[in-house]
Amino acid sequence: MAPPFSNYHNLITASKIKRPNLIKALAAVILCSVFYLIGFYQNTRGSIPLPSPVLAQTQKNAVACVIPVAANITLDFEPHHRPADPPPSAAAVPELPPCDPSYSEYTPCEDARRSLAFERARLIYRERHCPASGEERLRCRVPAPHGYRVPFRWPESRELAWYANVPHKELTVEKGKQNWVHYEGDRFRFPGGADAYIDEIGKLINLKDGSIRTAIDTGCGVASFGAYLLSRNVLTVSFAPRDSHEAQVQFALERGVPALIGIIASIRLPYPSRAFDIAHCSRCLIPWGEHDGQYLLEVDRLLRPGGYWILSGPPINWEGHYRGWNRTMQDLKAEQDRVEGVARSICWKKLVQKNDIAIWQKPTNHVHCRATRRVFRQPGFCTSQNPDQAWLVFHYPAFSPLNFMNLLVGPERLTAIPPRIRNGSLEGITAGKFNEDTELWQKRAGYYKRVDQQLAQTGRYRNLLDMNAYLGGFAAALVRDPVWVMNVVPVESRVDTLGAIYERGLIGTYQNWCEAMSTYPRTYDFIHADSIFSLYKSKCEMEDILVEMDRILRPQGSVIIRDDVDVLVKVKSIIQGMQWDGRIADHEDGPRHREKVLFAVKKYWTAPPPQT
């Protein structure tokens, strides 16, 4: 056992050792508290000036990081976890100025001056001819005409349009006898004669059983045929060239009726094969029997098996009208004989001719038609060419053999699996993926309406555009609203889905978004763009696409853009110079998704009043 004095000695030694440690710890606590209080106090007042001697010593010690600074540098206690502001050169928003008022109806790909460089044979000069990239591209915002007003709401717009929006009275004179449009003070009125005309057609074919859902009207005038077919639940794509009948397509769009600028000439129309249940021509002046019947072959490509072609006006019922048409009986009879001959050569059956209306029907299969090839050797069948290829593709002097096409009738057609998906012709798209896409867009449309309450407001929007429609799910989700949607499938898409969209009973077109759309300024009330900027990232400039969106969007129209957050930040910076208001919202499933949604509205502005 250790002696007693040994324990005492150990305690004394330990006490001497611990006392300095305790003093040091206490001093550290006091110093930390003092500096914390000084820092807290100073942070409430700003930053702490650093004395020059301390600064000099700091600069002497900081050999590895020599930064020339002022002598009165300060310490900054503000948080720095926010991203730094961009340098002034990057933060500057490029201003896109308004175009000259003379551009208020500018259609870049149907410009009258540019068309003069193309041949007039077969009206090729009236086809689509877009400006080359470079100086000719639009670098300004197309103005609405002075006095522009928000269009009448549907269905009132079917009969009325503001004169200030389409300031052209030419058609009221040129087509006065045909009763297209009347000018009344500050507005145009469109008579309802097409309703009775459609009733006459309804006595010849069934328009009520749901088997007819889509139609195409060639040389549409002011689109009264399409306007009144809507009340029979038939969606019509109306088209006409931009020609001497000034603004006929523009009138259609002001009325809230689907329409595009277009012409049957040397290239196919921008729609897939087997798209329409009806094709219609009333006094459209297309020479159907000329050029080896290629124009009727194009109609045959567009009609679904069993679809109808309706022709009224010259040369139908020429016996009773030849004097009023200022043509000879022989000339008109020869024209009708040529039309009848082409129709027989492509195996169409003439169902009826009553008064001024004649109707042919495309066969549902080509079993009988193959046998008749011994009589009609031309046009022949062609299996090597894709009939759905329709973007700037020349007409082909042959027609494709028919595939069986079982379409449901009525509302079920919208949600039924389209035949192109059912038979596996769309790579990677199955029935299950189609159903998932339908459900997804029901959810997304509901989210859009919660954020953009104007979309939920009945009648606020009428003309809608989906720039990257895929399977048409967005349009299908809005089918109960009083709107129509032009579903665009970009020609750069990996899979061509436009045929499936038509099989659902919806409408659409092909488009290259590096070019302008074949439509007038201020066509759409609302534009939806899903991943369009990512799709065209390496193909053309973002500014060019946004300028085109601005051209075809009406004042006070809305835009919804879905894309990666980095893309949307750049888009938002550009639209600040376009008189758009915009904000970025989270994905409908929450903030953890990189994909976000930009909601924007184009401000109201017009061209200045004309100088007197």
Side-chain angles (χ1 to χ4, degrees):
M1 177 179 291
F5 70 87
S6 177
N7 291 335
Y8 177 76
H9 180 268
N10 291 340
L11 289 172
I12 294 298
T13 303
S15 175
K16 289 180 179 180
I17 294 171
K18 291 180 179 179
R19 187 175 300 147
N21 291 341
L22 182 61
I23 293 172
K24 290 180 181 178
L26 183 60
V29 169
I30 292 171
L31 287 172
C32 288
S33 300
V34 169
F35 283 118
Y36 173 80
L37 291 171
I38 292 172
F40 177 80
Y41 171 73
Q42 188 65 35
N43 195 44
T44 61
R45 299 180 59 194
S47 54
I48 303 176
L50 196 62
S52 296
V54 177
L55 172 64
Q57 184 62 36
T58 302
Q59 291 176 332
K60 181 178 178 181
N61 294 338
V63 178
C65 185
V66 180
I67 304 174
V69 292
N72 62 344
I73 189 170
T74 59
L75 294 176
D76 184 5
F77 286 88
E78 290 297 317
H80 287 274
H81 56 273
R82 297 169 297 187
D85 291 335
S89 59
V93 177
E95 182 71 27
L96 289 165
C99 302
D100 186 84
S102 62
Y103 279 77
S104 67
E105 294 177 357
Y106 180 56
T107 54
C109 295
E110 290 80 19
D111 182 62
R113 292 166 296 181
R114 187 181 307 106
S115 70
L116 297 177
F118 297 89
E119 59 180 297
R120 302 181 74 85
R122 295 182 61 177
L123 300 179
I124 289 174
Y125 75 108
R126 293 206 185 279
E127 289 183 324
R128 179 181 173 88
H129 303 292
C130 298
S133 58
E135 294 183 359
E136 204 179 356
R137 286 290 181 93
L138 203 64
R139 284 292 182 271
C140 56
R141 293 175 290 118
V142 171
H146 180 71
Y148 178 88
R149 302 172 69 173
V150 174
F152 291 96
R153 291 194 175 191
W154 184 266
E156 191 179 11
S157 65
R158 187 173 64 177
E159 281 81 36
L160 296 171
W162 296 114
Y163 170 75
N165 295 6
V166 193
H168 295 285
K169 301 178 185 177
E170 295 89 343
L171 284 178
T172 64
V173 178
E174 293 177 18
K175 299 296 180 179
K177 292 182 179 179
Q178 296 183 31
N179 209 27
W180 278 15
V181 56
H182 299 160
Y183 173 63
E184 300 177 357
D186 62 350
R187 64 196 66 188
F188 292 105
R189 183 175 297 278
F190 303 91
D195 215 21
Y197 170 69
I198 294 171
D199 285 340
E200 290 301 311
I201 294 173
K203 296 174 183 177
L204 306 176
I205 58 174
N206 195 335
L207 296 176
K208 297 179 180 179
D209 66 353
S211 62
I212 295 173
R213 172 61 178 160
T214 58
I216 184 167
D217 189 11
T218 56
C220 65
V222 294
S224 290
F225 180 73
Y228 284 90
L229 271 179
L230 285 166
S231 62
R232 285 128 173 117
N233 204 30
V234 178
L235 271 173
T236 304
V237 176
S238 302
F239 76 89
R242 181 161 189 177
D243 56 12
S244 58
H245 295 155
E246 189 68 48
Q248 52 187 327
V249 168
Q250 196 174 13
F251 275 123
L253 295 165
E254 278 294 312
R255 299 177 71 183
V257 180
L260 290 164
I261 299 172
I263 188 172
I264 295 184
S266 68
I267 59 175
R268 288 177 171 177
L269 295 170
Y271 316 109
S273 65
R274 310 190 306 278
F276 298 100
D277 304 312
I278 287 178
H280 172 258
C281 162
S282 176
R283 302 188 184 188
C284 63
L285 304 180
I286 296 173
W288 297 110
E290 304 296 332
H291 308 295
D292 299 320
Q294 285 194 13
Y295 298 155
L296 272 184
L297 277 172
E298 175 65 354
V299 174
D300 182 83
R301 184 184 72 86
L302 296 175
L303 278 177
R304 66 161 172 82
Y308 302 98
W309 183 51
I310 303 171
L311 177 63
S312 65
I316 302 303
N317 196 16
W318 56 267
E319 299 91 342
H321 295 294
Y322 70 94
R323 290 188 180 88
W325 293 339
N326 294 320
R327 294 175 61 182
T328 66
M329 297 173 65
Q330 294 81 2
D331 178 36
L332 287 163
K333 182 180 184 304
E335 181 181 348
Q336 179 152 352
D337 288 345
R338 287 193 297 271
V339 172
E340 302 267 12
V342 174
R344 285 194 299 270
S345 74
I346 56 179
C347 305
W348 288 4
K349 177 183 178 182
K350 188 174 184 180
L351 291 182
V352 63
Q353 178 173 329
K354 183 177 180 182
N355 299 325
D356 296 344
I357 300 172
I359 302 178
W360 285 261
Q361 186 174 26
K362 178 178 176 176
T364 55
N365 63 71
H366 278 153
V367 174
H368 172 71
C369 190
R370 289 182 184 275
T372 64
R373 291 301 90 192
R374 288 172 292 185
V375 177
F376 297 102
R377 297 187 180 276
Q378 295 295 330
F381 287 108
C382 177
T383 57
S384 61
Q385 196 177 54
N386 181 0
D388 284 347
Q389 285 186 335
W391 184 253
L392 305 182
V393 174
F394 288 106
H395 293 305
Y396 198 73
F399 62 121
S400 301
L402 286 176
N403 297 316
F404 179 70
M405 191 175 180
N406 183 22
L407 288 175
L408 294 178
V409 300
E412 294 81 7
R413 182 171 166 179
L414 183 69
T415 54
I417 308 300
R420 280 175 169 85
I421 296 177
R422 200 165 54 235
N423 63 25
S425 61
L426 298 185
E427 181 183 355
I429 302 178
T430 63
K433 288 187 176 180
F434 171 80
N435 289 329
E436 289 173 3
D437 185 76
T438 300
E439 294 176 4
L440 174 65
W441 283 105
Q442 289 285 347
K443 175 182 177 180
R444 287 180 170 178
Y447 175 67
Y448 290 167
K449 289 182 177 182
R450 289 195 298 274
V451 178
D452 179 2
Q453 296 183 358
Q454 293 189 84
L455 183 60
Q457 185 184 128
T458 301
R460 171 62 180 85
Y461 302 130
R462 174 62 184 169
N463 303 1
L464 276 64
L465 172 69
D466 193 351
M467 295 177 69
N468 189 13
Y470 188 45
L471 296 171
F474 176 65
L478 301 178
V479 72
R480 297 185 184 278
D481 298 342
V483 303
W484 59 267
V485 180
M486 185 62 71
N487 294 281
V488 171
V489 173
V491 294
E492 292 79 9
S493 297
R494 186 181 63 84
V495 182
D496 178 4
T497 54
L498 190 55
I501 288 173
Y502 272 96
E503 288 170 349
R504 302 185 73 174
L506 302 171
I507 59 173
T509 185
Y510 295 111
Q511 175 66 31
N512 175 359
W513 286 116
C514 290
E515 301 174 354
M517 195 175 187
S518 290
T519 191
Y520 280 87
R522 302 171 299 281
T523 289
Y524 296 104
D525 304 298
F526 178 97
I527 296 176
H528 179 249
D530 180 11
S531 305
I532 203 71
F533 294 101
S534 291
L535 178 63
Y536 283 91
K537 186 175 182 179
S538 60
K539 299 177 178 65
C540 52
E541 297 296 326
M542 182 180 289
E543 289 85 350
D544 289 337
I545 298 176
L546 285 168
V547 166
E548 174 61 6
M549 292 171 68
D550 184 82
R551 184 184 74 88
I552 62 179
L553 183 66
R554 289 173 173 169
Q556 298 181 319
S558 296
V559 176
I560 295 179
I561 304 173
R562 302 182 68 92
D563 221 311
D564 183 84
V565 62
D566 291 341
V567 173
L568 293 187
V569 168
K570 186 175 181 181
V571 169
K572 190 171 186 297
S573 72
I574 295 172
I575 66 174
Q576 289 175 12
M578 296 172 55
Q579 289 184 268
W580 289 17
D581 288 327
R583 62 188 178 96
I584 298 175
D586 284 326
H587 188 278
E588 62 272 4
D589 290 334
R592 296 190 177 185
H593 292 260
R594 280 197 61 83
E595 183 180 77
K596 305 294 181 184
V597 185
L598 172 64
F599 294 84
V601 176
K602 178 179 176 179
K603 295 180 181 178
Y604 177 88
W605 66 278
T606 70
Q611 296 181 351
T612 55

